[in-house]
Amino acid sequence: MKINKLFIVAACASTVFASCGETAANRQRQYSNASLADGDAFAMIKFVGENGNYLVNLADVAAKQSTSAEVKNVAAKIKEAYATVLPELDGLAKELHVGDAQRGVPAFQTPASIGSDSTAAFNDKAFLAVVLEKQAKINSRLSREEHNTNPNVIHVSEESLKKVEEIYKLAGGKVEEHGHH
């Protein structure tokens, strides 16, 4: 009889203590905007989200204003790649409780070097230079995550990198072929 009572008390106590930990974690996320992402993953999600959205907006401008087939090809590839990368990144952000990547991002403005004025000619070389610079930084940020401890972060960053590496090549970047360590 005593063993049965002891067993029931132990089961109740373990249930109470197990539920406390989950409640505390939920409260921490709810009231302090805590994230489940480490610092690198948090920074990657924010950086790639913001710069990817910028490149998509820039590609829209290029597709409308440029007459170059090369620029239109790069713009189409940007739209195609980021059409899948950005939703995957948003899904990862929601899973890890990372805030909206758009919060605090200024409104999109076409760089003056490209020709934001409707009367000015579209500068194809400046567009490719901006894409090359932004995409190089995005690729670097994504490739750093191969050593992350969260398998979902690793998977999303590797899949995203595969999809956007071609943009860098199309914009004129040189990619060193090497194996992953």
Side-chain angles (χ1 to χ4, degrees):
M1 182 86 171
K2 286 184 181 182
I3 292 179
N4 286 342
K5 285 183 183 178
L6 190 58
F7 178 73
I8 291 172
V9 169
C12 290
S14 65
T15 303
V16 168
F17 290 128
S19 67
C20 288
E22 183 61 32
T23 304
N26 284 338
R27 274 196 219 125
Q28 182 182 9
R29 283 193 295 274
Q30 183 179 11
Y31 296 121
S32 67
N33 289 330
S35 170
L36 298 175
D38 63 2
D40 286 340
F42 187 90
M44 182 270 298
I45 290 168
K46 292 289 201 182
F47 185 81
V48 175
E50 291 170 5
N51 285 284
N53 280 307
Y54 179 84
L55 285 177
V56 169
N57 289 329
L58 193 60
D60 286 337
V61 171
K64 292 174 188 165
Q65 295 184 5
S66 179
T67 57
S68 166
E70 178 187 12
V71 167
K72 288 186 180 286
N73 185 30
V74 171
K77 185 62 183 173
I78 289 171
K79 289 181 187 181
E80 174 191 329
Y82 283 103
T84 58
V85 168
L86 293 175
E88 288 174 2
L89 206 58
D90 287 343
L92 181 64
K94 286 177 184 154
E95 177 185 326
L96 298 177
H97 301 279
V98 174
D100 183 17
Q102 288 297 310
R103 191 176 305 137
V105 178
F108 173 77
Q109 292 182 339
T110 307
S113 62
I114 290 177
S116 56
D117 186 0
S118 61
T119 60
F122 187 81
N123 187 337
D124 295 330
K125 288 183 181 180
F127 168 76
L128 293 174
V130 168
V131 170
L132 190 64
E133 177 190 351
K134 294 256 183 216
Q135 196 58 56
K137 290 177 182 175
I138 289 171
N139 290 0
S140 173
R141 190 73 233 184
L142 288 170
S143 65
R144 276 190 235 158
E145 296 307 316
E146 71 181 19
H147 300 295
N148 198 299
T149 56
N150 186 324
N152 293 340
V153 171
I154 295 170
H155 176 73
V156 168
S157 63
E158 285 176 350
E159 291 300 312
S160 297
L161 186 59
K162 287 177 191 173
K163 293 174 185 170
V164 299
E165 274 182 324
E166 189 178 344
I167 296 168
Y168 182 72
K169 292 177 193 173
L170 289 173
K174 305 287 185 252
V175 177
E176 294 179 21
E177 300 297 330
H178 59 82
H180 292 285
H181 301 280

